[in-house]
Amino acid sequence: MIRRIHTVDVFTSTPLKGNPVAVVLDAHGLSTGEMQAIANWTNLSETTFILPPPPRKGTGQAGGGADPADTAPADYHIRIFTPRAELPFAGHPTIGSAHALLSAGLVTPRNGILIQHSAVGPVEVAVPADWREAGLSFRLPPHQISPAPDPDALTAALGTPPLAPPAIVNVGPRWVIAELSDGATVRALSPDLACLAAYDRRHATTGLTVFAADGQGRVAVRSFAPADGIAEDPVCGSGNGAVAAYRLNLAQTAVGHAYLASQGREVGRDGTIAIRYAADGIHVGGQAVTVIEGQLRL
């Protein structure tokens, strides 16, 4: 059995930087167990599997300002796996998979939009005319924010107190978000990964994402998900989206604002994420580059 596979570095235009995702372009017929085994074998933070879109449940009416992601048929269905588990949604796999599909000529945007279907439902991916240079962006799925339990355990795992009470931001993955005092503290952080993994298992959270202004006009971000086999995610789209939602919830920013986040420097990846607050939601974007095109023989 032969399957086409691409590996795409996301949130960078430089090969071997950003965050790699393996994309199996024709996954129809693979079982869940086979997908998990492949993801464990690639040993990347995420591996995605592209499937035909689900049948459209009804045409509905697109008038009255309806959301195109809810009314348009999906262009493809995606399943996302870490080395240990399946995720309902993830950010860099969304951009990397769309980039791989576009590069392979397997999808065609409608009015500059692709609709990705996953466990969280439809996700809108914006495709500019110059997407190879300008990059892609997705609209963050609806999110929920709640106080993070057991904040003392988080402080102990971090080795430094957050500026404000941490929160769980559910964007499909359930990220614990904590703001630290400054970018230098974020960069120097060496958390207790065993404690973080135990926390995630205890509270059914995905991992911890920390952030702070880095003094260079950007927001410094780092993400840790040791319970899923990811000690540190190089550049995390859903984590950055969760940070953006957390900041909006605390009125640290507003609709119309945009900023750049920096992540991955500590693991040699140095990615850049573009965040934009629009009337229709939070948009997360960045560049991507294909580094491997090949065949998966099973």
Side-chain angles (χ1 to χ4, degrees):
M1 183 189 305
I2 296 176
R3 309 282 178 157
R4 296 175 66 188
I5 186 169
H6 286 193
T7 301
V8 180
D9 284 338
V10 182
F11 298 122
T12 183
S13 61
T14 304
L16 310 185
K17 297 293 185 180
N19 197 358
V21 59
V23 184
V24 179
L25 292 167
D26 46 358
H28 183 67
L30 290 176
S31 69
T32 296
E34 288 170 326
M35 292 180 190
Q36 185 64 76
I38 292 167
N40 181 268
W41 174 77
T42 68
N43 201 33
L44 298 176
S45 57
E46 281 100 4
T47 299
T48 68
F49 299 85
I50 306 302
L51 297 159
R56 198 174 178 189
K57 292 184 178 180
T59 57
Q61 296 295 322
D67 186 338
D70 292 332
T71 59
D75 294 286
Y76 56 94
H77 179 69
I78 184 174
R79 294 183 69 179
I80 305 168
F81 289 79
T82 74
R84 295 182 183 173
E86 185 171 7
L87 296 176
F89 172 78
H92 99 273
T94 292
I95 289 179
S97 296
H99 179 94
L101 286 163
L102 288 162
S103 297
L106 296 177
V107 292
T108 301
R110 296 184 295 272
N111 299 316
I113 297 293
L114 291 174
I115 303 297
Q116 169 186 287
H117 189 274
S118 66
V120 297
V123 174
E124 182 181 302
V125 180
V127 184
D130 57 344
W131 58 270
R132 291 184 185 274
E133 293 75 31
L136 306 168
S137 64
F138 62 86
R139 184 148 52 100
L140 193 69
H143 61 270
Q144 297 177 331
I145 300 178
S146 58
D150 200 0
D152 290 343
L154 289 170
T155 297
L158 286 168
T160 186
L163 284 181
I168 294 175
V169 182
N170 185 347
V171 292
R174 300 178 71 245
W175 285 105
V176 178
I177 304 298
E179 181 179 10
L180 302 185
S181 57
D182 52 48
T185 301
V186 170
R187 299 291 186 197
L189 191 68
S190 182
D192 186 326
L193 295 178
C195 287
L196 289 181
Y199 183 96
D200 288 336
R201 294 187 187 102
R202 196 160 59 245
H203 300 293
T205 46
T206 300
L208 170 70
T209 293
V210 298
F211 76 97
D214 70 358
Q216 302 175 27
R218 295 192 177 193
V219 173
V221 178
R222 294 177 70 185
S223 301
F224 306 92
D228 273 341
I230 306 165
E232 180 165 0
D233 198 12
V235 197
C236 183
S238 64
N240 273 273
V243 166
Y246 178 93
R247 298 186 72 205
L248 186 63
N249 187 63
L250 291 184
Q252 294 181 348
T253 187
V255 171
H257 181 60
Y259 69 87
L260 296 177
S262 171
Q263 189 175 7
R265 192 179 304 170
E266 294 70 28
V267 291
R269 296 293 178 78
D270 202 13
T272 299
I273 305 94
I275 300 293
R276 179 172 60 90
Y277 296 92
D280 66 349
I282 296 169
H283 294 253
V284 180
Q287 295 174 290
V289 58
T290 302
V291 293
I292 297 174
E293 296 182 13
Q295 295 180 331
L296 183 66
R297 296 177 180 270
L298 301 174

